[in-house]
Amino acid sequence: MNSSLDTTFAALADPTRRAILARLALGEVSVMELAAPFAMSQPAISKHLKVLERAGLVSRGREAQRRPVRVEAQPLVEATEWLDNYRQSLETRFQRLDALLARLKGDAQKHGAKRRKQKMKRR
Amino acid sequence: MEGDLMANETRIKAEPGKQEIFVTREFDAPRELVFQAFTDPELYVQWLGPRRLTMNLETFEPRAGGSYRYILTDTDGSVFAFHGVNHEVLAPERIISTFEFEGLPEAGHVILETAKFEALPGDRTRLVNQSVFQSVADRDGMIQAGMESGLTESYERLEELLAKGVSQTAGASQ
């Protein structure tokens, strides 16, 4: 199992961290601004940021005072692709079921038409 | 990504850190027919396994307390066996069953599957399948394995498309 996906999913498996990423999707912010909406101390937010940083999901700018936090897309892209390939393997199977259902519906219609024809003849 | 999917296409929900996967798929057929495709062995074999693999339905008892086991054989001879028990088969709305892949290094990794068949207007059906795993690791492992098989199928379809393209071009140039 891909260990960077492990780290990405572990990082995402927390509602506060997901909320942080959602906020960062709107644009970079300083840690102070990030902490504001949460009923949480700055050190607590910093802990979450460390986890996100280790997973490569956020990066910290170098601008000395503020060190703004930004979201990094690549790990999320990998996680989405991973799930989409799984979805695709299921979709292929369901398309076979689509084809079978279409055949069964066609057979049912033919059968119905045959019976109606036979009923007409007997009159 | 969801916005790119066609109307009926498979949708998956697998939230990070959870032990379950939801698969939703709609069909242009009444749910009695879709349910039949899941419970009639002659129909089931026609769609479950990928084309490349031969499907052998060794046991199939679509009733409460019934068991099932099927074996997929690859062109290179490798064999994949799956088995489980049907907890409930309630036509035409619900099937609850266990599922285990026999090819894992360790036995006992079982999944609880709940398949619900909802009737939609216009003689259509929505299938919602919930798979519950014994751990987050089991769930993520299943997705990983599914991803790999998904890639294989995608490559096969790509090969077929390319082969079609090549033969058509060859025909045109003559």
Side-chain angles (χ1 to χ4, degrees), chain B residues 17-68:
Chain B
K18 293 188 87 172
Q19 288 163 237
E20 61 185 358
I21 300 172
F22 283 95
V23 175
T24 306
R25 191 17 160 101
E26 293 185 9
F27 299 92
D28 294 329
R31 71 171 174 170
E32 288 73 16
L33 208 55
V34 183
F35 196 88
Q36 207 188 332
F38 275 76
T39 50
D40 180 336
E42 286 183 26
L43 299 180
Y44 196 63
V45 294
Q46 292 185 47
W47 66 271
L48 191 76
R51 266 168 322 202
R52 194 184 78 248
L53 274 59
T54 327
M55 160 79 146
N56 170 25
L57 205 54
E58 186 188 83
T59 311
F60 193 79
E61 300 169 342
R63 55 174 171 77
S67 68
Y68 69 89

Side-chain angles (χ1 to χ4, degrees), chain A residues 1 9 12-13 80 82-87 89-98 100-101 103 105, chain B residues 1 5 9-10 12 16 23 25 27-28 33 37 43 46-50 140 144 146-147 150 153 157:
Chain A
M1 169 94 181
F9 279 118
L12 290 172
T80 315
W82 182 74
L83 202 53
D84 196 58
N85 282 323
Y86 178 66
R87 190 194 65 77
S89 69
L90 292 177
E91 173 58 20
T92 310
R93 170 193 287 183
F94 286 132
Q95 282 176 6
R96 283 194 292 275
L97 179 50
D98 281 336
L100 173 62
L101 291 168
R103 276 204 308 280
K105 276 164 58 180
Chain B
M1 187 186 69
L5 296 178
E9 272 197 63
T10 309
I12 295 201
V23 175
R25 191 17 160 101
F27 299 92
D28 294 329
L33 208 55
L43 299 180
Q46 292 185 47
W47 66 271
L48 191 76
D140 291 348
Q144 178 73 13
M147 175 185 103
E153 296 219 54
R157 299 186 100 203

Side-chain angles (χ1 to χ4, degrees), chain B residues 49-55 72-75 78 80 156:
Chain B
R51 266 168 322 202
R52 194 184 78 248
L53 274 59
T54 327
M55 160 79 146
L72 297 170
T73 310
D74 205 336
T75 47
S78 35
F80 306 92
E156 282 177 358

Side-chain angles (χ1 to χ4, degrees), chain A residues 1-122:
Chain A
M1 169 94 181
N2 188 332
S3 75
S4 83
L5 280 170
D6 283 342
T7 332
T8 304
F9 279 118
L12 290 172
D14 177 281
T16 306
R17 291 199 284 269
R18 289 198 296 274
I20 290 172
L21 286 174
R23 171 62 188 84
L24 291 174
L26 301 173
E28 66 180 41
V29 278
S30 68
V31 183
M32 245 170 34
E33 288 166 320
L34 208 46
F38 300 98
M40 218 179 261
S41 65
Q42 218 168 285
I45 290 287
S46 292
K47 259 193 183 164
H48 283 301
L49 285 178
K50 273 212 181 76
V51 174
L52 289 169
E53 222 175 330
R54 249 178 301 152
L57 285 164
V58 304
S59 63
R60 307 291 300 274
R62 291 242 135 257
E63 294 87 6
Q65 304 282 51
R66 284 183 72 238
R67 297 212 68 210
V69 189
R70 310 180 175 104
V71 69
E72 296 290 339
Q74 191 48 36
L76 285 172
V77 169
E78 276 166 15
T80 315
E81 277 175 359
W82 182 74
L83 202 53
D84 196 58
N85 282 323
Y86 178 66
R87 190 194 65 77
Q88 190 52 54
S89 69
L90 292 177
E91 173 58 20
T92 310
R93 170 193 287 183
F94 286 132
Q95 282 176 6
R96 283 194 292 275
L97 179 50
D98 281 336
L100 173 62
L101 291 168
R103 276 204 308 280
L104 291 174
K105 276 164 58 180
D107 289 347
Q109 282 168 356
K110 262 188 263 164
H111 212 65
K114 217 179 176 186
R115 270 203 300 262
R116 283 194 295 275
K117 243 186 173 173
Q118 286 169 344
K119 267 193 179 161
M120 298 276 307
K121 276 189 176 166
R122 278 194 233 110

Side-chain angles (χ1 to χ4, degrees), chain B residues 63 111 127 151:
Chain B
R63 55 174 171 77
I111 302 163
L127 166 70
L151 284 175

